[in-house]
Amino acid sequence: MMSVLVSVLLAATPTETLTSALQARVAREQGATVAVVYQRLGAPRDTVTLAPDRVFHAASTMKVAVLLEVFRQVDAGTLSLDAAPVLTNAFTSIVDGSPFTVDAKNDEDPGLHERVGQPVPVRELVERMITRSSNLATNAVIARVDAKRVTKTLRALGARKMTVLRGVEDGKAYAKGLNNTTTARDLARLLAAIEEGKAASPASTDAMRAILRAQELNQEIPAGLPPGTPVAHKTGQISGVLHDAAIVYPLGHAPYVLVVLTSGIPDERVARALIVDVSRQVFTHATR
C-alpha cells in the first residue's frame, strides 16, 4: 500500500503537487471560504485554481476594475488625468439617492480628507485609490467614470461575475446586500490583461502596472516573497474578508498572477497568515 502511495506521489506533476499543497493549507482553516487562482503568464498549462468562480464581497479589490475604466476612458479621450475637480465628501446612495459621506476614521488614507474643498488632480486620486486604498478617492473617481461603465468594461474583458455597483461606505446599499462582488478567476483575468497589454493602450497598461507596483499595503502576498521581489497588486479588506490579487515578477523567471480571496475568518491575522503561506508555496513552485 505504501509503495503505491509513493508511486502516486512520484508520478504527480509539479502543478498537481502545488494543488495538493494549497488544498491542505486551506483545509487547516475550518469554516473558512477561500478561493485561489495561480497562473504563470505565457504558460497556460501552469495554472492552479481552487473555487475560482465562487463569488465574494470584493472589498477594495474592485478598485482594480475602477482603475481599468479610468485608463480606458483616458484612451478614448473622454477623461483627462490632469483634470483637477474640487474634492467633495458628499455622495448619493444607489438605494434612494440619499446623501452619505466617507468617514476618515475608516479610511486607509485619512490625509486626503484634509483636502476636501480643494482641487485635486484625477491622476492623484487614481494613484491614492490604489496605493493607499483611499475610499474617498475611490468614490470621487467612481463619480466621474460611472460604476455601470466599470461593470460594462469588466464584461468586455471577460470578467463574467465581477460587478461594481457603487462606491464605498454606502450603508443603505450594504444593508440591502447591494455590494461589489468578485471571483478569483475574474480578478486574475483583469491582472493578466493588464500585464499582457490587452486591457488598454500600451501607455495606459504601463501606467496601471506602475501604480499597482507602488502599492503601500504589503502584508499579504508580498510578505510571502523574498524581499525585493517586484509585485503589482491590490488588497481588499472588510470585517471577516481579506483578499489580495497580484502580478508577481520573480527575478529570472516569468511573471505570474496570484489571487487569494478569503472570507469567514474572523481574525485577520489568521487570514493574513493563510495568504502569506499560499504566496510562499506558489513562489516556490514558480521558481523551481
Side-chain angles (χ1 to χ4, degrees):
M1 183 68 176
M2 181 61 69
S3 62
V4 173
L5 177 59
V6 170
S7 297
V8 170
L9 290 174
L10 290 176
T13 67
T15 299
E16 290 169 339
T17 300
L18 175 61
T19 300
S20 297
L22 295 179
Q23 288 172 331
R25 179 61 185 89
V26 169
R28 286 166 49 187
E29 308 306 335
Q30 295 184 1
T33 301
V34 180
V36 178
V37 169
Y38 156 74
Q39 178 188 350
R40 188 196 303 264
L41 298 176
R45 292 187 178 181
D46 191 9
T47 300
V48 171
T49 63
L50 305 181
D53 298 312
R54 181 168 290 156
V55 177
F56 289 75
H57 190 301
S60 287
T61 63
M62 66 86 169
K63 295 170 186 177
V64 175
V66 179
L67 178 72
L68 272 163
E69 179 59 24
V70 165
F71 279 94
R72 286 169 72 96
Q73 290 190 23
V74 168
D75 288 345
T78 58
L79 179 66
S80 171
L81 294 175
D82 295 322
V86 172
L87 181 64
T88 63
N89 188 1
F91 308 100
T92 57
S93 172
I94 63 171
V95 174
D96 57 7
S98 60
F100 71 93
T101 60
V102 174
D103 188 343
K105 295 179 182 178
N106 298 327
D107 202 332
E108 293 282 358
D109 187 20
L112 184 61
H113 290 252
E114 298 174 4
R115 295 169 63 185
V116 169
Q118 303 174 19
V120 180
V122 171
R123 186 186 310 277
E124 182 178 351
L125 292 173
V126 171
E127 290 172 355
R128 295 175 83 125
M129 174 181 74
I130 298 297
T131 63
R132 299 183 184 180
S133 204
S134 170
N135 290 338
L136 179 58
T138 300
N139 284 11
V141 172
I142 289 177
R144 294 186 71 83
V145 301
D146 185 2
K148 291 180 180 179
R149 294 187 66 178
V150 175
T151 297
K152 185 176 180 180
T153 287
L154 288 172
R155 299 297 175 266
L157 292 172
R160 299 177 181 177
K161 294 186 177 181
M162 188 174 187
T163 300
V164 175
L165 295 177
R166 58 175 176 83
V168 186
E169 294 194 31
D170 183 344
K172 288 186 176 180
Y174 180 81
K176 289 183 173 292
L178 300 174
N179 299 316
N180 303 315
T181 59
T182 193
T183 67
R185 191 191 304 276
D186 282 351
L187 275 171
R189 281 181 174 142
L190 297 187
L191 293 174
I194 292 171
E195 174 60 23
E196 294 170 346
K198 298 176 181 178
S201 70
S204 287
T205 50
D206 284 348
M208 284 188 275
R209 283 194 295 272
I211 292 171
L212 289 164
R213 285 180 66 159
Q215 174 64 247
E216 297 177 13
L217 307 175
N218 296 305
Q219 294 180 286
E220 285 79 40
I221 287 175
L225 306 172
T229 303
V231 188
H233 74 116
K234 183 69 196 78
T235 57
Q237 181 179 10
I238 59 171
S239 180
V241 170
L242 188 65
H243 308 322
D244 203 356
I247 309 165
V248 180
Y249 302 89
L251 300 179
H253 298 271
Y256 62 84
V257 168
L258 174 62
V259 178
V260 188
L261 309 181
T262 76
S263 68
I265 304 178
D267 188 336
E268 72 177 58
R269 294 170 298 180
V270 174
R272 182 167 293 118
L274 168 61
I275 297 175
V276 170
D277 286 348
V278 168
S279 177
R280 186 178 296 114
Q281 289 173 317
V282 167
F283 181 87
T284 298
H285 163 86
T287 57
R288 68 191 188 282

